[in-house]
Amino acid sequence: MPKAIDQKDKQLKKQHILDSAEAVLRRQGLNKLSISAVAKEARLAQGTLYLYFKEKEEIIAQLTVRSRKRLLQLFHDSINAADNPLEQIRNILYASHTFFKENKIFHDLVSFYEVNAEQEEPQELQQASQNISALVVSVLDRAKTQGLIRSNLNATEFTYMIWGMSNGMVQLVDLRGKMLEKDLNKSPDEVYTSFVDFVIEGMKPTNPA
Amino acid sequence: MPKAIDQKDKQLKKQHILDSAEAVLRRQGLNKLSISAVAKEARLAQGTLYLYFKEKEEIIAQLTVRSRKRLLQLFHDSINAADNPLEQIRNILYASHTFFKENKIFHDLVSFYEVNAEQEEPQELQQASQNISALVVSVLDRAKTQGLIRSNLNATEFTYMIWGMSNGMVQLVDLRGKMLEKDLNKSPDEVYTSFVDFVIEGMKPTNPA
Amino acid sequence: MPKAIDQKDKQLKKQHILDSAEAVLRRQGLNKLSISAVAKEARLAQGTLYLYFKEKEEIIAQLTVRSRKRLLQLFHDSINAADNPLEQIRNILYASHTFFKENKIFHDLVSFYEVNAEQEEPQELQQASQNISALVVSVLDRAKTQGLIRSNLNATEFTYMIWGMSNGMVQLVDLRGKMLEKDLNKSPDEVYTSFVDFVIEGMKPTNPA
Amino acid sequence: MPKAIDQKDKQLKKQHILDSAEAVLRRQGLNKLSISAVAKEARLAQGTLYLYFKEKEEIIAQLTVRSRKRLLQLFHDSINAADNPLEQIRNILYASHTFFKENKIFHDLVSFYEVNAEQEEPQELQQASQNISALVVSVLDRAKTQGLIRSNLNATEFTYMIWGMSNGMVQLVDLRGKMLEKDLNKSPDEVYTSFVDFVIEGMKPTNPA
DNA sequence: TATGAATGAGCGTTCATTCAT
DNA sequence: CATGAATGAACGCTCATTCAT
């Protein structure tokens, strides 16, 4: 099966280029993510990159997909690390923060598609996002079944809310870390923990009057 | 005092250039925000811009400052439009959303600072942010005094949380509007309202057992 | 004689590559006639083409030779289709036009040699051209012998003139077709017919005074 | 009138760049007519060229217009150099040849617009071509009025024919000069003269029977 | 203070050609 | 013989910045 081996080689090379692109991205940011920088990082000629990717934007797209897939894996791990659905949600929220701290730069990529309206989000990226979403919804449904959270809480809607709120929070605590220390005498992690507590508490059923 | 007058003239010219830059930004987006485009919009020579701003990035920085100041004003208005501190918070949250919808393009500028780590956030921008923050803290303090929110809620910390969560939510509902419609059959505004309700409810004191 | 067979194989492969190149040329034009496109069309690796042709320009040269040979064949047919030498000339002139209409794209190749002065016209191309020339000369000689054209008309020279004038005319009527329609209300074919009539009439002996 | 002076300066610079482009074109041909080559020839930075021309193709367009205008001037001179309309036509035909010998390379530019179907011929070029055409038509009309040429000869149509035939001939005698010498023992100029004689004779009224 | 012509490095992309296998 | 991955120079074009006036 020589064909299969070649395909594998090609995939490995693609991964090597993506690794190089990711290294440049982390080191220099999206604005400096040029083909020439990636080629130099990968120790390849510029033209070679075009044997593996049709255009620069395909590289960027693949980077976002990689990132999203890693996050999905983290969410899976978060769920496996606990039995109680509420604890699973808590783990997921913490995982978001952990992930963001290590992958802050990837948020630029996601917003890349927002800024460039003419650019379609790659299908794979949408799929990965939906997988993440479905995963969280399922946890919320289980929590509701077990009476751990309010019954009038719409699982799908709240999934979006968790996604939005945590995204905002991880950006905030990271970006304003110094300010937090000064104003609050709390670390970013502590503030994020307060946020998680707030969300989890808010989900629980209210005491019957 | 001709010096003072000159200074004023200089400020006016700076504002004129910033107005032009903002017009270009809104019309063409960050990618097309070139010095030549701004100069043409301002009916000035390109070189002239460099008499007022050291470099292009300084213009961008000033644009974000302006944006932040406008948001501060909106928050002031939100507070003035209600007496009840909780309603004031609610208004502030809605104002964030409104502001984002009308100034979405400025978020590109903010991420600009995240990407260019070497670029310091201008002092003025930090000051504006702190003013906003102080304003919200004062509202929360009043709410606590009046017993409208839980007493163990740290006003400063919760101000940061409001800031972070709402930022995340406005981005989400705006950018994923179509997805919300499809998955939830709810409009972005409706989902945002759910978020606001969640936050407001979460602040209230729990019923005594 | 395995050697001879190999040679034949090699020739077949060359023809296959030239067929592919011609297909690309007709479909995409000279600008898109890249080695990679030809290789893909021929279902061969790019490097393989270099086993049969020293460089891209050699492929182009061979294409022009093919084209010229086809034209020669058309001229043969034109002559066979009539007995009267004058009618044979007329047929040849029409054949030039027909050929041009169907092979317009090849004229780009010819001008290729004009532009690249360092590039020698291949010997084979010159030979094909001379064959065409000799053929027309023989027809003109016969016409002269039969008293159908002026006796002071130099057959070789007039062959060149026919060649030059008709080449110019086919280019003109084809490329300026729309202009002809507008200015003259005549189709390209009609104008070309006028040209042919002019040439044929001009060849005939003048009436004796 | 400082504005007028500036405009004149700009025009001079444009002409300088066009001169440089023409020099490159004559020396290296259309394929090598790159922006970098023109910039080097003009002793300017590449970017500077874009202050005067929107894109490379605008430079090419202007070159063709220049060339066509020169030809128009040559035709005017040809007409002024003789009184008899037939001699004027003869002069025009000779002028075409003279012009072609010195401007052979410009034929590539004209065909540039033919090959790149998506490229529109610049309006100015069309205008110049029409001026040339109108000029020749007027000479032919005068010749007809004076009974110097056949009355059934359509002036407009024959103008196209002159244009087409002579274009073809000048290309031929130039390109096949050596062959002419060898086969005919005639120089290109002599063959072209035969062509001109043939055309002029063919225009004259036939002897009444 | 104001100009705007000029710069030149940088961009993404293409493609003829080479060469280790 | 045949491959096809790799090269690297070249392309047209953009734009932040400088500087002589």
Side-chain angles (χ1 to χ4, degrees):
Chain A
M1 260 198 290
K3 200 64 178 291
I5 289 173
D6 286 351
Q7 290 292 6
K8 200 164 187 177
D9 264 16
K10 182 148 187 171
Q11 277 310 312
L12 283 176
K13 206 86 170 211
K14 268 189 149 178
Q15 290 307 318
H16 169 61
I17 292 171
L18 287 175
D19 290 342
S20 306
E22 184 171 333
V24 172
L25 180 66
R26 288 181 186 281
R27 207 186 312 119
Q28 323 245 57
L30 184 56
N31 287 336
K32 299 275 179 66
L33 183 63
S34 64
I35 289 292
S36 77
V38 176
K40 188 179 283 182
E41 177 78 22
R43 295 178 175 278
L44 289 171
Q46 293 196 48
T48 306
L49 270 58
Y50 287 85
L51 297 177
Y52 298 92
F53 300 93
K54 188 174 129 283
E55 55 193 358
K56 183 193 173 186
E57 288 177 0
E58 193 179 327
I59 295 179
I60 293 177
Q62 290 302 318
L63 283 182
T64 68
V65 172
R66 271 165 71 132
S67 162
R68 219 39 92 86
K69 284 184 176 170
R70 285 184 202 151
L71 183 59
L72 179 60
Q73 184 56 48
L74 274 187
F75 278 16
H76 273 296
D77 296 346
S78 299
I79 290 171
N80 287 337
D83 283 334
N84 181 320
L86 265 189
E87 288 314 298
Q88 291 174 333
I89 294 293
R90 189 186 295 273
N91 284 347
I92 281 174
L93 287 168
Y94 284 135
S96 288
H97 189 205
T98 305
F99 181 74
F100 182 82
K101 282 191 281 189
E102 287 165 7
N103 299 276
K104 185 161 75 95
I105 200 71
F106 283 99
H107 273 258
D108 296 340
L109 299 196
V110 175
S111 52
F112 174 84
Y113 292 104
E114 299 155 1
V115 174
N116 300 283
E118 72 270 19
Q119 275 298 316
E120 273 287 307
E121 258 197 1
Q123 167 60 29
E124 255 192 303
L125 179 54
Q126 291 185 32
Q127 187 57 55
S129 301
Q130 275 172 17
N131 288 345
I132 290 177
S133 175
L135 189 64
V136 178
V137 168
S138 72
V139 175
L140 287 177
D141 277 336
R142 220 174 313 128
K144 220 197 293 193
T145 304
Q146 300 180 19
L148 299 171
I149 64 177
R150 280 189 279 119
S151 59
N152 65 342
L153 191 149
N154 179 324
T156 303
E157 183 182 51
F158 203 72
T159 293
Y160 277 110
M161 278 169 55
I162 286 178
W163 182 250
M165 292 187 296
S166 65
N167 260 355
M169 283 304 296
V170 294
Q171 288 177 49
L172 178 93
V173 298
D174 183 89
L175 207 59
R176 307 283 166 194
K178 281 181 190 160
M179 218 180 279
L180 295 179
E181 300 277 11
K182 209 185 66 181
D183 289 4
L184 269 179
N185 203 26
K186 283 199 177 183
S187 72
D189 282 8
E190 286 173 308
V191 176
Y192 192 80
T193 297
S194 294
F195 156 71
V196 172
D197 290 342
F198 177 78
V199 172
I200 298 291
E201 283 308 308
M203 297 169 73
K204 291 183 181 168
T206 49
N207 285 342
Chain B
M1 257 198 292
K3 199 66 179 293
I5 290 172
D6 286 1
Q7 288 293 1
K8 197 167 184 183
D9 268 11
K10 183 152 185 168
Q11 277 310 311
L12 282 176
K13 205 94 168 203
K14 270 190 151 181
Q15 289 307 317
H16 170 60
I17 292 171
L18 288 174
D19 289 342
S20 307
E22 183 172 335
V24 172
L25 179 66
R26 289 185 185 277
R27 207 186 313 120
Q28 324 245 57
L30 184 56
N31 287 336
K32 298 272 179 69
L33 183 63
S34 64
I35 289 292
S36 74
V38 175
K40 184 182 280 184
E41 177 79 20
R43 296 176 174 279
L44 289 171
Q46 294 192 51
T48 307
L49 270 57
Y50 284 83
L51 298 174
Y52 297 92
F53 298 93
K54 189 175 128 279
E55 55 192 356
K56 184 190 172 186
E57 296 189 352
E58 195 180 325
I59 295 179
I60 293 177
Q62 290 302 318
L63 281 183
T64 70
V65 172
R66 278 165 66 128
S67 165
R68 210 63 74 89
K69 284 184 176 171
R70 285 186 203 148
L71 182 58
L72 178 61
Q73 184 56 49
L74 270 189
F75 280 13
H76 272 297
D77 297 347
S78 298
I79 291 170
N80 288 337
D83 285 334
N84 182 320
L86 266 189
E87 289 313 300
Q88 291 175 331
I89 294 295
R90 191 186 294 273
N91 283 348
I92 284 175
L93 287 169
Y94 284 134
S96 288
H97 190 204
T98 305
F99 182 73
F100 180 82
K101 284 191 281 190
E102 287 167 7
N103 299 275
K104 192 157 69 102
I105 197 74
F106 283 98
H107 272 257
D108 299 344
L109 303 192
V110 174
S111 72
F112 178 85
Y113 287 106
E114 298 165 4
V115 174
N116 300 280
E118 73 270 20
Q119 195 72 13
E120 274 286 309
E121 249 199 3
Q123 168 59 29
E124 243 190 313
L125 183 51
Q126 291 185 31
Q127 187 57 54
S129 299
Q130 273 172 16
N131 288 345
I132 292 178
S133 175
L135 189 63
V136 178
V137 169
S138 73
V139 174
L140 287 177
D141 276 337
R142 220 174 314 128
K144 221 196 295 191
T145 304
Q146 298 180 18
L148 297 171
I149 64 177
R150 281 188 279 117
S151 59
N152 65 341
L153 193 149
N154 179 324
T156 304
E157 183 180 54
F158 202 72
T159 293
Y160 279 109
M161 277 168 54
I162 285 177
W163 181 246
M165 292 187 296
S166 64
N167 259 357
M169 283 303 296
V170 295
Q171 288 178 50
L172 178 93
V173 298
D174 184 86
L175 300 171
R176 306 286 168 190
K178 280 183 191 160
M179 217 180 281
L180 294 179
E181 300 277 11
K182 212 186 65 180
D183 288 4
L184 270 178
N185 204 25
K186 284 198 178 185
S187 72
D189 282 6
E190 286 174 308
V191 176
Y192 193 79
T193 297
S194 294
F195 156 71
V196 173
D197 290 343
F198 177 78
V199 171
I200 299 291
E201 283 307 308
M203 297 169 75
K204 290 182 182 169
T206 48
N207 285 342
Chain C
M1 257 200 291
K3 198 65 178 291
I5 289 172
D6 285 1
Q7 288 292 2
K8 197 167 183 182
D9 267 11
K10 184 153 185 169
Q11 276 310 311
L12 282 177
K13 205 94 168 205
K14 269 190 153 181
Q15 288 307 316
H16 171 59
I17 293 171
L18 288 175
D19 289 342
S20 307
E22 184 173 334
V24 172
L25 179 65
R26 288 183 185 279
R27 207 187 311 122
Q28 324 245 56
L30 184 57
N31 287 336
K32 298 273 180 68
L33 183 64
S34 65
I35 289 293
S36 75
V38 175
K40 184 182 280 183
E41 177 80 21
R43 296 176 174 279
L44 289 171
Q46 294 192 50
T48 307
L49 270 57
Y50 284 84
L51 299 174
Y52 296 92
F53 298 93
K54 188 174 130 281
E55 55 191 357
K56 184 191 173 185
E57 296 189 352
E58 195 180 324
I59 295 179
I60 293 177
Q62 291 300 318
L63 281 183
T64 70
V65 172
R66 278 165 67 130
S67 165
R68 210 62 75 89
K69 283 184 176 171
R70 283 185 204 148
L71 182 58
L72 179 61
Q73 184 56 49
L74 271 190
F75 279 14
H76 272 296
D77 297 347
S78 299
I79 290 170
N80 288 336
D83 284 334
N84 181 318
L86 268 189
E87 289 313 299
Q88 292 175 332
I89 294 294
R90 190 185 295 273
N91 283 349
I92 283 174
L93 287 168
Y94 284 134
S96 288
H97 190 204
T98 305
F99 183 74
F100 181 81
K101 283 191 283 190
E102 286 167 7
N103 297 276
K104 192 157 72 99
I105 196 75
F106 281 97
H107 271 257
D108 298 344
L109 303 193
V110 173
S111 74
F112 178 86
Y113 287 107
E114 297 165 7
V115 174
N116 299 279
E118 73 270 21
Q119 195 71 13
E120 274 286 309
E121 251 200 2
Q123 167 60 28
E124 243 188 314
L125 183 51
Q126 291 185 31
Q127 187 57 53
S129 299
Q130 274 172 15
N131 288 345
I132 292 178
S133 175
L135 189 63
V136 178
V137 169
S138 71
V139 173
L140 286 177
D141 277 336
R142 220 174 315 129
K144 220 196 295 192
T145 304
Q146 298 179 19
L148 298 171
I149 64 176
R150 281 190 279 116
S151 60
N152 65 341
L153 192 149
N154 179 323
T156 304
E157 183 181 52
F158 202 73
T159 293
Y160 277 109
M161 278 167 54
I162 285 177
W163 180 247
M165 293 186 296
S166 64
N167 260 357
M169 284 303 297
V170 295
Q171 287 177 51
L172 178 92
V173 298
D174 185 85
L175 299 171
R176 305 286 168 190
K178 278 182 192 160
M179 216 179 281
L180 296 179
E181 300 276 11
K182 209 186 67 180
D183 288 3
L184 271 180
N185 204 25
K186 283 198 178 185
S187 72
D189 283 6
E190 285 173 308
V191 176
Y192 193 79
T193 297
S194 294
F195 156 71
V196 173
D197 290 342
F198 176 78
V199 171
I200 298 291
E201 283 308 306
M203 297 169 73
K204 290 183 183 169
T206 48
N207 284 345
Chain D
M1 260 198 291
K3 199 65 178 292
I5 289 173
D6 285 351
Q7 289 292 5
K8 201 164 186 177
D9 265 16
K10 183 149 186 171
Q11 278 308 313
L12 282 177
K13 208 85 170 210
K14 268 189 150 178
Q15 290 307 318
H16 169 60
I17 292 171
L18 286 176
D19 290 342
S20 306
E22 184 172 334
V24 172
L25 180 66
R26 288 181 186 281
R27 207 185 312 120
Q28 323 244 57
L30 184 56
N31 286 336
K32 300 276 179 65
L33 183 63
S34 64
I35 289 292
S36 78
V38 175
K40 188 178 285 182
E41 177 78 22
R43 295 177 174 281
L44 289 171
Q46 293 195 45
T48 306
L49 270 57
Y50 286 86
L51 298 177
Y52 298 91
F53 300 93
K54 190 174 129 283
E55 56 193 355
K56 183 192 171 185
E57 288 176 1
E58 193 179 326
I59 295 180
I60 292 177
Q62 291 300 319
L63 283 183
T64 68
V65 171
R66 270 164 71 130
S67 162
R68 221 37 94 86
K69 284 184 174 170
R70 285 183 202 151
L71 183 59
L72 179 60
Q73 184 56 49
L74 274 188
F75 278 17
H76 273 296
D77 297 346
S78 299
I79 290 169
N80 288 336
D83 284 335
N84 181 321
L86 267 190
E87 289 313 299
Q88 292 175 333
I89 293 293
R90 190 185 296 273
N91 284 347
I92 283 176
L93 287 168
Y94 285 134
S96 288
H97 189 204
T98 305
F99 182 74
F100 182 81
K101 282 191 282 190
E102 287 166 7
N103 299 277
K104 187 159 76 95
I105 200 71
F106 283 99
H107 272 258
D108 296 341
L109 299 195
V110 175
S111 52
F112 173 84
Y113 292 104
E114 300 155 1
V115 175
N116 300 283
E118 70 270 21
Q119 275 299 316
E120 273 287 307
E121 259 196 359
Q123 167 60 29
E124 255 191 304
L125 179 53
Q126 291 185 32
Q127 188 56 56
S129 301
Q130 274 171 17
N131 287 345
I132 290 179
S133 174
L135 189 63
V136 178
V137 169
S138 72
V139 175
L140 287 177
D141 277 336
R142 220 174 313 128
K144 220 198 292 192
T145 304
Q146 300 181 17
L148 298 171
I149 64 176
R150 279 190 279 117
S151 59
N152 64 343
L153 192 149
N154 179 323
T156 304
E157 183 183 49
F158 202 72
T159 293
Y160 277 111
M161 277 168 56
I162 285 177
W163 182 250
M165 293 186 295
S166 65
N167 260 356
M169 283 303 297
V170 296
Q171 287 178 51
L172 178 93
V173 299
D174 184 89
L175 207 60
R176 307 284 166 192
K178 279 181 191 161
M179 218 180 279
L180 295 179
E181 299 276 11
K182 210 186 66 180
D183 289 3
L184 271 179
N185 204 26
K186 282 196 177 183
S187 72
D189 282 8
E190 285 172 308
V191 176
Y192 193 80
T193 297
S194 295
F195 157 70
V196 173
D197 291 342
F198 177 77
V199 171
I200 298 291
E201 284 307 309
M203 298 170 72
K204 291 184 182 167
T206 48
N207 286 342

